[in-house]
Amino acid sequence: MEKTAKKSRKVWSVLGNIFIWIFIAFSVLMTVLAFAAQSSPDGVPTIGNTVILVVQSPSMQPTFNVGDIIIGKKVPEEAKTDLKVDEIITFVTDDLDGDGKRDLNTHRIIEIVPADNGSVTYVTKGDNNAIEDARHVNTVDIVCRWEGTRIKGLGKALNFLQSPTGFLVTIVIPLLLFFVLEIVLFVRKVNEVRNQGKKQITAADEELIKQRAIEEYLRLQKEAEEAAEPAAEAPAEAPAEEPAPAEETDAEAPEEA
């Protein structure tokens, strides 16, 4: 039974370690994305030429939905004039949510408008919108081009993780708990090494010790009772007789002549 318990604890320990390392890898990834977003001039997570975006509006349904993650590729400056109709691009546009900052938008190119200086602008439109976007997209505003990769529904979790509260709750606190757990396991391992060679008292040994102690107590109790029984059964001694008083005599001493 003891071997089964040890085997079970070992299995759970291995599973726990696997879960912890998966969580650490996920935490590191989220941390990298958070710092990548802060360091990017566009304010989006960018790793190399890969841009990770979260869909915030339904304007491109059914191509992708709110909460989806879409993966884009950076467009080199020299290639920004070579984009084609029907390609989907992410670009910087006017303030859309009223916070005073320019926002990102991801729409489909529906027309290419050449300019007199040899550059081009792009007319864009959301697949779910009835009309085209009012503002044409200049090449300097293009962030990336979508190449068909999306992850459904994971964007909400990414948005939460990138918020200060989400970063604290899902990254900082679990990492602290992980390090505390590792310290506890390290101390326990050190104690196990120190106790190697010493006899370890198992539950069966402890039960046997208790049983022997009870038996020894009962034996001593029985011996004490047997020693007390003869003294209780001995007859009482007869009281000693008092000596009889000397008898008085009526004879008188003889008179002197």
Side-chain angles (χ1 to χ4, degrees):
M1 185 174 182
E2 184 68 21
K3 291 182 179 180
T4 303
K6 286 183 178 180
K7 186 176 180 180
S8 178
R9 286 195 297 268
K10 186 175 181 179
V11 170
W12 281 110
S13 177
V14 171
L15 291 176
N17 287 333
I18 292 174
F19 172 79
I20 287 172
W21 285 111
I22 291 175
F23 172 78
I24 289 176
F26 177 75
S27 299
V28 170
L29 175 62
M30 292 299 101
T31 303
V32 169
L33 292 178
F35 281 107
Q38 293 179 0
S39 61
S40 172
D42 304 316
V44 295
T46 304
I47 303 175
N49 291 325
T50 301
V51 181
I52 302 172
L53 300 163
V54 179
V55 179
Q56 305 290 349
S57 76
S59 63
M60 282 296 293
Q61 290 179 340
T63 307
F64 36 76
N65 302 309
V66 176
D68 289 350
I69 289 179
I70 57 175
I71 309 298
K73 291 291 183 181
K74 284 279 189 179
V75 181
E77 289 297 328
E78 64 274 12
K80 287 184 177 180
T81 57
D82 299 327
L83 298 174
K84 307 298 182 184
V85 171
D86 208 40
E87 288 187 314
I88 297 175
I89 60 173
T90 298
F91 52 91
V92 180
T93 187
D94 298 329
D95 182 13
L96 298 176
D97 53 14
D99 62 356
K101 299 179 182 179
R102 299 185 71 187
D103 292 316
L104 294 176
N105 206 357
T106 302
H107 280 174
R108 191 183 300 275
I109 297 173
I110 61 172
E111 184 181 348
I112 301 172
V113 181
D116 295 336
N117 59 2
S119 64
V120 297
T121 59
Y122 297 100
V123 181
T124 55
K125 174 182 172 296
D127 290 354
N128 196 37
N129 292 345
I131 59 175
E132 65 187 41
D133 298 332
R135 180 176 175 273
H136 289 192
V137 179
N138 295 310
T139 55
V140 294
D141 293 329
I142 296 173
V143 175
C144 64
R145 171 176 51 202
W146 184 58
E147 296 186 347
T149 302
R150 71 163 176 163
I151 304 173
K152 295 182 179 181
L154 194 60
K156 294 179 181 179
L158 183 59
N159 281 339
F160 177 70
L161 289 171
Q162 290 179 337
S163 69
T165 302
F167 188 78
L168 177 67
V169 171
T170 61
I171 305 298
V172 177
I173 293 178
L175 282 177
L176 288 176
L177 293 176
F178 166 73
F179 285 121
V180 170
L181 176 62
E182 286 298 308
I183 291 173
V184 171
L185 293 177
F186 174 76
V187 172
R188 184 179 297 175
K189 191 66 178 178
V190 169
N191 289 333
E192 288 179 359
V193 172
R194 286 179 179 175
N195 292 329
Q196 283 181 354
K198 298 179 181 179
K199 180 173 176 58
Q200 302 293 322
I201 298 178
T202 64
D205 293 335
E206 187 175 344
E207 188 65 26
L208 183 60
I209 291 171
K210 290 180 180 179
Q211 183 65 29
R212 289 179 177 175
I214 294 172
E215 291 175 355
E216 182 66 16
Y217 171 77
L218 295 175
R219 186 183 66 79
L220 294 175
Q221 187 75 10
K222 184 176 180 181
E223 289 180 357
E225 291 176 356
E226 290 176 351
E229 284 178 0
E233 295 175 358
E237 296 182 358
E241 295 182 358
E242 296 181 2
E247 295 182 0
E248 296 183 357
T249 180
D250 294 337
E252 296 180 355
E255 294 181 0
E256 293 181 0

